[in-house]
Amino acid sequence: MAKQGYHHGNLRQALVEAALGLIEAQGPQGFTLSEAAKSAGVTPAAVYRHFAGRDDLIAECALQGFRIFGDLMNHAWNDGRPSALLAFEATGRAYLAFARRFPGHYMAMFESGLSPSVTPDLAAAAARAQGVLTRAAAALCDHLPEGRRPPASMISAHVWAMSHGVVELFARGAPGARGPYPPEDLLEAGIGIYLRGLGLIPADTAPDPSAGTAPDTAPADPAA
């Protein structure tokens, strides 16, 4: 439906919002500038006063998305409080929450085929968001001897890839609709297995098969 009555000065944002709706419904490459203009209630010629083309419009959607995403990730990290491990896990939950709450932004950021380096502002916003996860990974590694510390950038890249996979496979639509477990549980378990494999958190106590349930204990957080 075309948006009516936008005020002078916010046409650029009206076009962004129109594009976000079209991206969510049809994919980043599934709409035209003419459709975006129609959805915003303006002529196609008006779009070119603000954007050089469709990729430029999508890049603006991605830029705004990365800025929101970076704020959410930074809030979730909370300077590593109450512990580095719990804060790290919170960033994973924030990733899933962002993908659900802002699907158009998410698709523009990660599914449009545009490189973050397409503009300096977009590159900076993407680097800021990635930097939160890298700092979180570095904090988890602090308790390890320097020679045994995995590169924080590698850990953050692995966890980012795991988070994206959970979003793509299990978090589209209703939570858990396409998998046997809620996406949050899948991601938390995956991160736990990954961090234990790196020696960043201790292994769980092995369950007693005769007890029928796992022991009600949790490993200490060495990064607290």
Side-chain angles (χ1 to χ4, degrees):
M1 178 182 295
K3 298 184 178 180
Q4 301 296 330
Y6 73 86
H7 299 288
H8 292 294
N10 71 352
L11 173 55
R12 181 180 176 86
Q13 188 59 33
L15 289 166
V16 169
E17 292 171 3
L20 288 169
L22 290 167
I23 289 170
E24 183 178 349
Q26 301 170 202
Q29 304 302 329
F31 74 99
T32 65
L33 278 180
S34 294
E35 289 177 298
K38 181 179 180 181
S39 182
V42 298
T43 65
V47 179
Y48 291 98
R49 299 173 192 167
H50 299 277
F51 299 102
R54 187 181 63 177
D55 283 355
D56 192 28
L57 177 55
I58 294 173
E60 178 63 23
C61 295
L63 171 61
Q64 294 186 18
F66 269 116
R67 286 174 173 168
I68 298 168
F69 182 54
D71 288 344
L72 290 175
M73 293 290 280
N74 194 55
H75 179 77
W77 169 237
N78 193 31
D79 291 327
R81 295 190 294 265
S83 73
L85 177 58
L86 292 176
F88 189 85
E89 291 174 344
T91 63
R93 292 191 293 273
Y95 191 106
L96 295 183
F98 173 81
R100 283 205 186 100
R101 175 67 180 80
F102 301 97
H105 290 91
Y106 188 90
M107 295 168 74
M109 293 156 60
F110 300 121
E111 300 174 15
S112 66
L114 293 181
S115 169
S117 62
V118 69
T119 70
D121 286 347
L122 181 55
R128 173 178 173 251
Q130 176 72 53
V132 175
L133 196 53
T134 301
R135 291 196 304 275
L140 281 175
C141 294
D142 278 348
H143 72 285
L144 293 179
E146 187 171 351
R148 291 180 50 212
R149 293 178 189 171
S153 59
M154 180 180 291
I155 294 174
S156 67
H158 286 163
V159 172
W160 194 307
M162 191 185 308
S163 302
H164 185 71
V166 170
V167 167
E168 292 300 314
L169 293 174
F170 304 112
R172 294 295 194 202
R178 297 185 60 187
Y181 307 101
E184 289 79 6
D185 291 353
L186 286 171
L187 183 58
E188 183 175 349
I191 289 174
I193 292 168
Y194 176 75
L195 295 181
R196 287 183 181 90
L198 293 175
L200 292 173
I201 57 177
D204 288 326
T205 302
D208 179 1
S210 64
T213 59
D216 187 19
T217 58
D221 178 7

